[in-house]
Amino acid sequence: MVVRVTGFELFLPPLPFSPSLTTFSLNSSLNPNSHSFSPSSMRSTFTLFRNITLSTFHQPRTLPSQLLPRRFPRLCVGAEQWALHEELPEHEIFRFAAETGEKRLPRPEVEVKELSEVPELWRRSRVAWLCKELPAHKAGTLIRILNAQRKWMRQEDATYVIMHFLRIRENETAFRVYKWMMQRSWYRFDFALSTRLADYMGKERKFSKCREVFDDIINQGRVPCESTFHILVVSYLSSSVQGCLDEACGIFHRMIQLGGYQPCLSLHNSLFKALVGKPGNFSKQYLKQAEFIYHRLVSTGLDVHKDIYGGLIWLHSYQDSIDKERIEALREEMRRAGIGERVEVLVSILRACAREGEVEEAEKTWSKLLLFESNPPSQAFVYKMEVYSKVGMPMKSLEVFREMQLKLGKTSVAAYNKIIEILCKAQESEFAESIMTEFVNSGLKPLTPSYVYLLNMYFNLESHDKLEEAFSQCLEKCRPNSAIYSIYLDSLVKVGKLNKAEDIFRQMFRDASIGVNARSCNIILHGYLYSGNNLKAEKIYDLMCQKKYEIDAPLIEKLDYILSLRRRIVKKPMSLKLNKEQREMLIGMLLGGLQIDSDDKRKNHIIGFNFDGNSVSHYALKNHIHIQFYEWLHPTFKTSDDSENIPDKFCTIASSHFGFYADQFWSGGQPTIPKLVHRWLSPCVLAYWYMYGGRRNSSGDILLKIKGSREGVENIVKKFKAMSIDCKVKGKGKVFWIGILGSNTTWFWKLVEPYIVEDARDFTKSGVNMMGRDLTETQDINFNRESEE
């Protein structure tokens, strides 16, 4: 007899699902969640799954707060609306579905044979024992137990065990048994079982495991069910891990293009909310995806919520090039739909006007805004100030600033920075100094952008004494950066204080948090050339060649003459080549999780740097890496000399020079550990591995994270022992943590300390705020227990 576990039709909302999964009630004297079987109850085990009925344990869950953008709260739907329809009586199911306009998604059946139908008593006994025993063990022990059953266990037995664990909500155990089963020679792909497992992993928000099964289904030439697509998108949206939103968009597109499915209205809305849920400078890259969702809603006849219009206008207002016609078209469609323009929409229109300098439209929008609120939000005042500055009316901007202070009774950091920027560009020095003093006394931060505007104004006015005074104040009040030092360096060179300029340049070169760049090198080179210090000019030229910095055109002719006296030829540093330090940096960061993307022919490769914005040490490392690999970076990431504006994610140009690292550390699109890794573990490599992918725990132990094979980790451990460093390893899947414990941390720190970035040294030594994104992973790591692999 075969029991068919039917694919009950699901009402699937695009919100995170309850971890309580659909289970099966068991007409047995045994408790299926119990893990103790007495001899007297063994006979009952053989009829454990005779009567299979679906029970209802789901509880409705709402979308996590991080996915509900405050700008568009009306897109949020009440928690009582989101539930799987198995919770409702049959007569309520259709009413609920009709009211929400959603559809029910079928799933394929899973065939499970009853244990009582298995003729061999010993086989029934062993399968029942596995159902009881496996959930009590961790991954390593579980695999060893399953390996001991290889001689007799077949796919029917493994399928039975997997379905049992799904019924009792032991989904992690079910996934491990499934992965073990796939490695057996007798394994045959089961679409229904894979679909059921993927759906259940996704409902528990374990998107990586859900995606793994999802990819297995596609690799078998099958198209996943609509429910699997839906749940995987929801699982990605429920995670705050970086990159999950892009993956959710990709799966949404494949759901339409590969599966030919029609996603429901709520899934469109949830994905759109996630797209506009980040600050504008980060969300603006998702404009095309947001427009695609809007087009899907219109073309399929689904309702377009008013916050969809507002979100699209908001995204358009953040673009570098404002599409005024598209914004006006969206406003017209809102009017035709009977939707009024609310405060959020009017502020977005003001932002677009500020970027284009549309004073007339801005004043009309401001009048509409005052009808809603007598005291508009502070950001609206900032945009109004910017509109007047674009048309050369800085005093009008100052009036708006004072009006904001009068009406709101407080001033935001953005408002201070904007008015100081406007006044400095207009060279209204007295007003700019007055407001800067007010800004400093307010205690608000950061002050750095305003100091940059102030120093640039003094430089353009040739007020070098005031510039030096402002520079000294800046060093006392805020964190210095390359832009601040470069302006001061330029001032010193211009007034002929070359010795002091040389000291400042040395300080910039030594301090990795400031660093030197093409601008600062050209400034000091100019000073040496025009002061006749040819020997030092040659040294700066050599440094610029080493760093591959471009030399300003006016300097090339004079430099050519000086070098010709020594029979040297000026050459522009066009050929890129990694130096020894850069190679060791890359190896260390690749061990710590750095990613490489390759083209289809694996000839050209891109290095993707991804730093944690919540980590102080990563902030220092980010600035250092941006300087060290500046000549390799994609042009879009070379534009800023201000370390405050360096993004947390940036990448290199596509180059064949990275081929060795792609072959060794990123084979087959997955992180791997090279066989010869032990030859490359220099102190510099270990330092960058520690800064990028390591941390200290509360006990002072050093933890190094790495992905790859156990054999590769063993080679690293042997190398550590050869360096007189004992360590322990904890592994889960392909992710390993190498723990350097107790007194071994002292020796490790002595090795890596000379290579630790200056600003990160205190934090990496103490372990304060080392990295935010993997902190939860390390909380439960105990190297005194058995390995989890």
Side-chain angles (χ1 to χ4, degrees):
M1 178 180 179
V2 173
V3 177
R4 293 182 181 272
V5 182
T6 58
F8 295 89
E9 293 178 326
L10 291 178
F11 172 77
L12 294 173
L15 297 175
F17 294 91
S18 167
S20 303
L21 300 180
T22 305
T23 59
F24 289 84
S25 60
L26 310 172
N27 288 350
S28 170
S29 60
L30 292 174
N31 180 356
N33 293 315
S34 173
H35 300 310
S36 58
F37 280 70
S38 61
S40 61
S41 63
M42 183 60 72
R43 184 177 300 277
S44 301
T45 305
F46 303 143
T47 58
L48 192 61
F49 304 108
R50 180 178 298 278
N51 187 9
I52 302 177
T53 58
L54 188 67
S55 66
T56 58
F57 291 105
H58 288 286
Q59 297 296 328
R61 289 290 180 94
T62 59
L63 194 66
S65 59
Q66 64 266 26
L67 288 182
L68 301 180
R70 296 179 182 177
R71 284 180 295 279
F72 310 107
R74 297 170 184 82
L75 272 177
C76 309
V77 182
E80 66 277 1
Q81 296 185 23
W82 305 113
L84 292 182
H85 93 239
E86 288 98 325
E87 296 179 13
L88 303 173
E90 185 176 354
H91 67 279
E92 291 290 326
I93 292 173
F94 300 100
R95 184 183 66 80
F96 182 76
E99 287 179 356
T100 58
E102 304 298 348
K103 56 186 176 182
R104 292 161 293 153
L105 307 179
R107 287 190 302 191
E109 301 175 351
V110 181
E111 295 187 357
V112 183
K113 182 181 291 186
E114 287 194 22
L115 278 179
S116 59
E117 300 297 325
V118 177
E120 301 95 338
L121 180 62
W122 62 269
R123 184 182 294 272
R124 282 183 275 165
S125 176
R126 289 189 178 185
V127 170
W129 178 79
L130 287 174
C131 291
K132 169 191 70 107
E133 191 70 19
L134 291 181
H137 298 284
K138 292 184 179 179
T141 306
L142 183 145
I143 297 301
R144 286 193 289 272
I145 292 175
L146 288 174
N147 286 339
Q149 322 301 318
R150 284 180 296 185
K151 290 185 178 180
W152 64 271
M153 200 169 184
R154 293 297 178 264
Q155 179 143 339
E156 293 78 8
D157 307 315
T159 301
Y160 186 90
V161 173
I162 292 169
M163 286 304 301
H164 166 72
F165 291 140
L166 293 179
R167 291 161 188 154
I168 65 173
R169 290 171 283 176
E170 289 284 352
N171 298 325
E172 192 71 30
T173 306
F175 179 80
R176 289 169 180 165
V177 176
Y178 177 81
K179 296 300 293 181
W180 178 86
M181 179 178 71
M182 289 180 63
Q183 299 172 4
R184 309 278 72 81
S185 59
W186 39 258
Y187 169 72
R188 302 183 309 279
F189 175 71
D190 188 332
F191 178 71
L193 180 64
S194 300
T195 299
R196 183 63 59 91
L197 181 63
D199 289 359
Y200 279 22
M201 298 309 298
K203 289 178 186 178
E204 283 197 340
R205 302 177 181 86
K206 295 180 178 178
F207 58 84
S208 59
K209 292 182 171 61
C210 178
R211 180 62 182 270
E212 193 172 344
V213 182
F214 175 89
D215 289 339
D216 289 338
I217 294 173
I218 292 180
N219 291 337
Q220 292 291 332
R222 302 293 297 272
V223 178
C225 290
E226 185 173 359
S227 64
T228 307
F229 277 104
H230 186 115
I231 289 173
L232 184 54
V233 172
V234 170
S235 182
Y236 276 128
L237 293 182
S238 302
S239 174
S240 59
V241 176
Q242 198 166 16
C244 281
L245 180 55
D246 295 323
E247 293 293 337
C249 293
I251 296 299
F252 183 81
H253 279 277
R254 294 173 76 178
M255 182 178 185
I256 297 167
Q257 297 168 359
L258 178 63
Y261 300 121
Q262 298 292 334
C264 58
L265 172 62
S266 55
L267 187 59
H268 285 83
N269 285 340
S270 290
L271 186 55
F272 190 90
K273 283 188 291 183
L275 294 176
V276 298
K278 296 182 178 181
N281 288 329
F282 294 98
S283 288
K284 69 179 184 180
Q285 61 179 310
Y286 295 112
L287 176 62
K288 289 185 178 179
Q289 178 64 42
E291 286 280 12
F292 174 76
I293 293 174
Y294 172 77
H295 173 74
R296 288 281 312 168
L297 291 171
V298 173
S299 61
T300 55
L302 296 173
D303 293 334
V304 181
H305 198 277
K306 54 187 175 183
D307 281 339
I308 298 289
Y309 291 111
L312 275 177
I313 294 174
W314 179 78
L315 285 174
H316 273 286
S317 70
Y318 271 102
Q319 301 305 306
D320 297 329
S321 177
I322 301 297
D323 189 345
K324 293 186 288 185
E325 294 181 359
R326 179 57 180 154
I327 292 177
E328 188 55 40
L330 288 169
R331 297 177 71 183
E332 180 61 31
E333 289 176 23
M334 288 179 68
R335 285 192 285 270
R336 286 201 300 265
I339 300 173
E341 293 177 342
R342 294 173 287 109
V343 174
E344 304 96 289
V345 175
L346 294 174
V347 172
S348 297
I349 295 169
L350 265 180
R351 185 186 301 109
C353 292
R355 289 176 176 256
E356 294 293 308
E358 297 282 350
V359 177
E360 185 178 350
E361 182 64 30
E363 289 178 344
K364 289 180 182 178
T365 305
W366 184 261
S367 299
K368 292 180 182 179
L369 193 58
L370 292 177
L371 296 177
F372 284 93
E373 297 183 13
S374 58
N375 296 330
S378 62
Q379 202 63 31
F381 285 96
V382 173
Y383 298 140
K384 192 178 180 185
M385 285 189 280
E386 190 174 353
V387 169
Y388 289 124
S389 72
K390 284 287 177 71
V391 294
M393 301 172 65
M395 290 299 101
K396 188 70 173 176
S397 299
L398 183 58
E399 289 179 17
V400 175
F401 177 76
R402 294 305 183 191
E403 180 188 358
M404 180 190 67
Q405 290 182 314
L406 183 62
K407 284 191 172 185
L408 302 184
K410 59 182 181 180
T411 311
S412 65
V413 173
Y416 272 123
N417 282 326
K418 179 53 67 177
I419 192 61
I420 292 172
E421 178 188 4
I422 292 169
L423 294 173
C424 287
K425 286 182 178 178
Q427 296 188 352
E428 298 286 349
S429 58
E430 291 184 7
F431 290 109
E433 290 167 356
S434 173
I435 293 179
M436 188 67 198
T437 303
E438 184 183 324
F439 187 16
V440 171
N441 293 336
S442 70
L444 297 173
K445 290 187 178 182
L447 300 168
T448 305
S450 291
Y451 272 114
V452 171
Y453 303 139
L454 202 63
L455 291 175
N456 272 320
M457 180 187 67
Y458 288 142
F459 184 83
N460 294 330
L461 292 173
E462 298 186 357
S463 300
H464 298 286
D465 292 337
K466 286 188 175 182
L467 190 151
E468 185 163 7
E469 183 182 349
F471 176 77
S472 301
Q473 290 177 3
C474 178
L475 296 185
E476 295 174 2
K477 302 292 184 182
C478 56
R479 180 196 298 271
N481 63 12
S482 180
I484 294 286
Y485 270 85
S486 294
I487 298 169
Y488 182 51
L489 180 68
D490 205 354
S491 172
L492 293 173
V493 169
K494 192 166 186 179
V495 298
K497 296 181 179 179
L498 204 56
N499 290 334
K500 194 168 185 179
E502 189 174 346
D503 292 338
I504 291 295
F505 185 81
R506 286 200 192 100
Q507 184 180 346
M508 294 173 69
F509 187 80
R510 288 195 303 266
D511 193 339
S513 65
I514 303 171
V516 296
N517 51 30
R519 178 186 176 186
S520 54
C521 286
N522 275 294
I523 290 170
I524 197 69
L525 179 61
H526 179 276
Y528 288 142
L529 287 174
Y530 284 88
S531 66
N533 199 333
N534 298 342
L535 184 60
K536 290 184 177 180
E538 284 191 56
K539 291 182 179 179
I540 295 298
Y541 166 72
D542 291 336
L543 174 64
M544 294 182 73
C545 288
Q546 179 186 351
K547 295 286 187 180
K548 283 78 177 180
Y549 292 151
E550 292 289 338
I551 301 172
D552 290 344
L555 303 179
I556 292 179
E557 184 177 350
K558 193 168 184 63
L559 188 62
D560 187 25
Y561 172 73
I562 292 172
L563 295 181
S564 65
L565 298 177
R566 299 169 60 88
R567 297 182 180 180
R568 293 183 61 184
I569 302 173
V570 176
K571 58 180 185 292
K572 297 183 70 176
M574 300 299 292
S575 178
L576 295 177
K577 186 177 180 181
L578 290 166
N579 57 38
K580 181 177 183 294
E581 186 179 7
Q582 288 173 325
R583 292 196 296 270
E584 291 188 322
M585 287 180 187
L586 281 181
I587 292 173
M589 296 175 72
L590 284 165
L591 291 173
L594 196 67
Q595 295 187 357
I596 299 181
D597 291 327
S598 306
D599 59 18
D600 295 337
K601 297 181 180 179
R602 290 188 65 81
K603 288 187 177 180
N604 293 303
H605 315 273
I606 294 174
I607 304 289
F609 299 98
N610 185 5
F611 296 93
D612 182 9
N614 298 322
S615 168
V616 177
S617 62
H618 259 221
Y619 175 85
L621 181 62
K622 173 184 72 174
N623 297 337
H624 177 65
I625 294 299
H626 191 272
I627 293 170
Q628 293 297 321
F629 287 88
Y630 185 84
E631 70 275 12
W632 291 94
L633 297 183
H634 191 274
T636 55
F637 301 110
K638 282 185 172 184
T639 55
S640 176
D641 290 328
D642 185 358
S643 61
E644 298 289 340
N645 295 326
I646 296 175
D648 292 334
K649 292 178 68 175
F650 51 87
C651 66
T652 66
I653 57 174
S655 173
S656 60
H657 285 79
F658 303 127
F660 168 79
Y661 304 96
D663 294 338
Q664 294 291 328
F665 292 91
W666 208 261
S667 178
Q670 295 294 329
T672 55
I673 303 175
K675 293 182 180 179
L676 300 178
V677 66
H678 55 282
R679 296 186 181 180
W680 305 326
L681 292 182
S682 66
C684 181
V685 168
L686 294 178
Y688 281 90
W689 181 7
Y690 174 45
M691 287 189 287
Y692 190 73
R695 64 200 49 83
R696 279 180 184 259
N697 61 16
S698 56
S699 303
D701 300 327
I702 291 174
L703 309 178
L704 298 174
K705 183 181 180 181
I706 190 169
K707 292 183 179 180
S709 64
R710 175 162 286 277
E711 292 76 16
V713 175
E714 288 175 353
N715 287 338
I716 294 174
V717 172
K718 290 177 182 177
K719 177 63 175 180
F720 276 138
K721 289 183 178 179
M723 299 165 71
S724 302
I725 300 175
D726 290 329
C727 54
K728 293 187 178 181
V729 177
K730 293 289 284 185
K732 189 173 184 180
K734 292 186 177 181
V735 179
F736 296 88
W737 288 95
I738 299 176
I740 301 172
L741 315 177
S743 59
N744 292 286
T745 59
T746 304
W747 176 236
F748 179 85
W749 182 253
K750 286 182 179 179
L751 279 177
V752 302
E753 187 175 15
Y755 303 94
I756 298 294
V757 175
E758 188 68 29
D759 273 14
R761 188 161 297 179
D762 293 337
F763 296 100
T764 52
K765 191 171 183 179
S766 62
V768 178
N769 197 18
M770 181 58 193
M771 270 183 73
R773 60 185 167 193
D774 291 323
L775 184 60
T776 55
E777 294 184 40
T778 63
Q779 288 177 345
D780 299 326
I781 294 180
N782 185 347
F783 288 93
N784 295 322
R785 294 198 305 243
E786 179 186 4
S787 175
E788 294 180 2
E789 196 212 353

